[in-house]
Amino acid sequence: MADDIHRRGEGFVFLALFGLCIPAANWLIGHAGTMCIPQGPCLIPVAPGIMAPSGVLMVGLALVLRDLVQRRLGLAWSAAAILAGAALSALLAPPALVLASALAFLLSELADLLVYTPLQRRGLVRAVVVSSLAGLVVDSLVFLQLAFGSLEFLPGQVLGKLWMVALSLPLLHWLRRRDARLGLTPA
């Protein structure tokens, strides 16, 4: 019983953080970067000579957090979070980016879910990395094509999101070891 309460409590923390990624991504893309394109995104360097819209950082983190929501709260909560996140993304995106933002969010998180779900029992870290890769590619392709009609920033989009997935790996390793020590199982 205490383990279930602990697992669900962590799940709601992950859910709240997942939800916060959406307004953060929308704010970043229009307000924070080393350069901002008029009527376009603010950009950040993600590698030497490679720029990306700054919102990619939060999108990469959201993919990881969605997996953790599913691990702690289950598939139904995760699916509901995706639908709520897509609606929130549409509400918060700048008018020119509403369709691109909402559809990219919805499709990328669904791709992440479809890959993560069958892999999760074989290992948390592997499942998160592979599902996040699927989600970040889908998000990048859909968002860039719909928002800007160009895949010019595709390498930067993919790399920026990949950085956030990579930065989450130590937390995922720690979480997996702690879960095993405590006997916590996925929802």
Side-chain angles (χ1 to χ4, degrees), residues 28-101:
L28 285 169
I29 200 166
H31 298 92
T34 56
M35 67 181 266
C36 293
I37 298 170
Q39 275 75 52
C42 291
L43 305 173
I44 57 169
V46 292
I50 301 177
M51 302 294 281
S54 56
V56 301
L57 301 177
M58 292 297 104
V59 174
L61 184 58
L63 290 165
V64 172
L65 288 166
R66 198 230 37 94
D67 293 340
L68 295 176
V69 167
Q70 183 172 340
R71 181 173 178 84
R72 291 296 191 243
L73 299 177
L75 184 58
W77 275 97
S78 184
I82 291 170
L83 294 175
L88 185 59
S89 188
L91 287 172
L92 297 176
L97 301 179
V98 168
L99 178 63
S101 184

Side-chain angles (χ1 to χ4, degrees), residues 44 46 52 56-57 60 154-165:
I44 57 169
V46 292
V56 301
L57 301 177
L154 184 61
Q157 282 259 340
V158 169
L159 193 53
K161 293 170 194 157
L162 193 56
W163 276 116
M164 294 308 286
V165 173

Side-chain angles (χ1 to χ4, degrees), residues 125-179:
V125 176
R126 179 183 318 151
V128 169
V129 170
V130 174
S131 66
S132 293
L133 286 172
L136 67 87
V137 169
V138 169
D139 183 80
S140 299
L141 290 170
V142 172
F143 181 78
L144 289 173
Q145 194 59 50
L146 291 176
F148 309 116
S150 163
L151 298 179
E152 176 185 357
F153 296 116
L154 184 61
Q157 282 259 340
V158 169
L159 193 53
K161 293 170 194 157
L162 193 56
W163 276 116
M164 294 308 286
V165 173
L167 288 172
S168 73
L169 292 178
L171 171 67
L172 295 172
H173 282 290
W174 174 82
L175 189 62
R176 183 195 52 169
R177 285 191 310 273
R178 192 199 61 167
D179 285 359

